[in-house]
């Protein structure tokens, strides 16, 4: 397992509508969380303000825009992203896009390929694509590795088959985490606990609503970090 301390393996998804909301969350949880994800919603609302603010304060930033366009357009967008303090960013896993993205950025930021969204139902996916989620995830991870990506975004359910089929030399970042005590899945379908995600081979977990909607977000953060730590010991 890569030598990343447990508290740095939790990425908090700042899925909130305004920069004021985001600043409030960081004020409350910034002592416990080192890595924040900015997705489409907050990016639309705050452009690069929160990215730069978090970078200035020494936090790690994952800018999750899941870009999917012709290579030239993706390269131009990445050239702007790379001028900001972003450690990781996401592209959809199509060979020409990943190849162009990796060549343009040279690791700054690291590119993560989105394999299959964790909100996707396996039956629906297979009916639509003519192959199983597992097969698609393995195929797309292989493309990510061949094109030189830093890693993939994948559900904790698929992490073990990714590690078995594709090796260990790249990052698996896993959203769709639901705490042990939570029955609430929201729109996520292929969920796992933080403990299982790390045990299954994820390097980082991404968590949004289970923290943001909790009556005591700090408590949930501490429990998640503990789960990560426990999983790393086993
Ligand atoms: O609230 P929740 O914990 O479900 O949030 C998960 C976060 O991870 C969201 O910001 C979502 O955009 C992101 N994500 C995901 N599935 C992917 C890639 C990213 O849920 N495959």
């Amino acid at each position: 397992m890569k030598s990343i301390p447990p508290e740095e393996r939790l990425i908090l998804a700042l899925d909130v509508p305004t920069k004021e909301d985001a600043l409030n969350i960081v004020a409350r949880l910034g002592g416990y969380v080192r890595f924040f994800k900015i997705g489409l919603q907050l990016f639309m609302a705050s452009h690069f303000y929160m990215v730069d603010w978090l970078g200035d304060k020494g936090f790690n930033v994952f800018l999750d825009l899941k870009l999917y366009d012709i290579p030239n357009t993706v390269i131009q967008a990445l050239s702007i992203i790379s001028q900001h303090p972003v450690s990781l960013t996401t592209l959809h896993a199509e060979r020409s896009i990943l190849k162009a993205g990796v060549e343009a950025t040279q690791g700054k930021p690291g590119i993560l390929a989105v394999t299959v969204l964790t909100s996707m139902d396996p039956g629906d996916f297979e009916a639509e694509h003519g192959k199983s989620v597992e097969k698609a995830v393995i195929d797309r991870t292989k493309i990510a590795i061949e094109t030189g990506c830093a890693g993939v975004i994948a559900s904790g359910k698929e992490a073990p088959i990714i590690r078995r089929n594709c090796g260990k030399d790249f990052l698996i970042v896993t959203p769709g985490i639901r705490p042990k005590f939570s029955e609430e899945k929201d729109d996520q379908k292929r969920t796992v606990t933080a403990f299982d995600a790390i045990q299954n081979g994820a390097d980082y977990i991404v968590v949004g609503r289970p923290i943001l909607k909790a009556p005591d977000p700090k408590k949930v953060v501490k429990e998640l970090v503990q789960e990560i730590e426990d999983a790393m010991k086993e």
Side-chain angles (χ1 to χ4, degrees):
M1 180 164 277
K2 298 171 195 76
S3 61
I4 309 162
E7 64 280 8
E8 288 178 23
R9 291 174 183 265
L10 171 64
I11 303 177
L12 172 52
L14 285 171
D15 293 333
V16 290
T18 67
K19 74 173 191 304
E20 288 72 24
D21 291 322
L23 290 167
N24 275 334
I25 292 164
V26 181
R28 287 174 78 186
L29 300 177
Y32 306 88
V33 178
R34 303 305 309 156
F35 214 148
F36 290 94
K37 181 173 91 75
I38 295 178
L40 285 173
Q41 183 187 24
L42 185 58
F43 189 72
M44 296 294 170
S46 70
H47 196 216
F48 279 102
Y49 179 89
M50 277 310 297
V51 172
D52 294 340
W53 187 91
L54 287 165
D56 274 357
K57 298 281 181 276
F59 293 107
N60 269 321
V61 180
F62 169 13
L63 183 60
D64 181 24
L65 302 180
K66 300 187 181 67
L67 301 176
Y68 185 77
D69 210 315
I70 58 170
N72 182 57
T73 303
V74 170
I75 289 169
Q76 301 313 327
L78 285 171
S79 80
I80 295 175
I81 291 173
S82 65
Q83 293 164 30
H84 294 269
V86 175
S87 320
L88 294 171
T89 198
T90 40
L91 304 183
H92 275 282
E94 193 173 286
R95 187 179 295 275
S96 62
I97 301 174
L98 296 180
K99 188 168 173 291
V102 169
E103 277 171 16
T105 52
Q106 302 285 320
K108 277 183 150 194
I111 305 280
L112 298 175
V114 178
T115 56
V116 175
L117 294 174
T118 45
S119 54
M120 198 56 106
D121 175 78
D124 293 346
F125 182 89
E126 195 156 347
E128 222 174 282
H129 297 268
K131 61 172 150 180
S132 67
V133 167
E134 286 80 7
K135 172 89 174 78
V137 166
I138 291 168
D139 291 349
R140 292 173 188 180
T141 301
K142 285 182 178 163
I143 295 172
I145 295 168
E146 284 160 18
T147 51
C149 289
V152 293
I153 305 281
S155 136
K157 288 203 189 303
E158 283 98 48
I161 54 157
I162 294 177
R163 288 295 182 216
R164 259 200 314 280
N165 288 275
C166 307
K168 291 196 159 42
D169 261 359
F170 59 93
L171 298 175
I172 299 181
V173 177
T174 294
I177 300 294
R178 289 298 173 267
K180 281 184 190 146
F181 50 84
S182 169
E183 294 296 311
E184 191 72 66
K185 283 193 167 193
D186 303 303
D187 55 351
Q188 298 284 17
K189 296 283 190 312
R190 303 191 327 284
T191 62
V192 297
T193 63
F195 181 91
D196 287 343
I198 297 292
Q199 276 245 306
N200 287 352
D203 298 292
Y204 292 95
I205 59 165
V206 175
V207 186
R209 287 163 291 184
I211 296 171
L212 301 175
K213 285 172 35 183
D216 186 350
K218 210 176 279 178
K219 183 163 166 272
V220 178
V221 165
K222 286 182 183 169
E223 283 165 358
L224 288 166
V225 172
Q226 187 60 52
E227 273 190 55
I228 295 172
E229 195 172 340
D230 292 345
M232 287 169 69
K233 277 187 206 137
E234 287 202 10

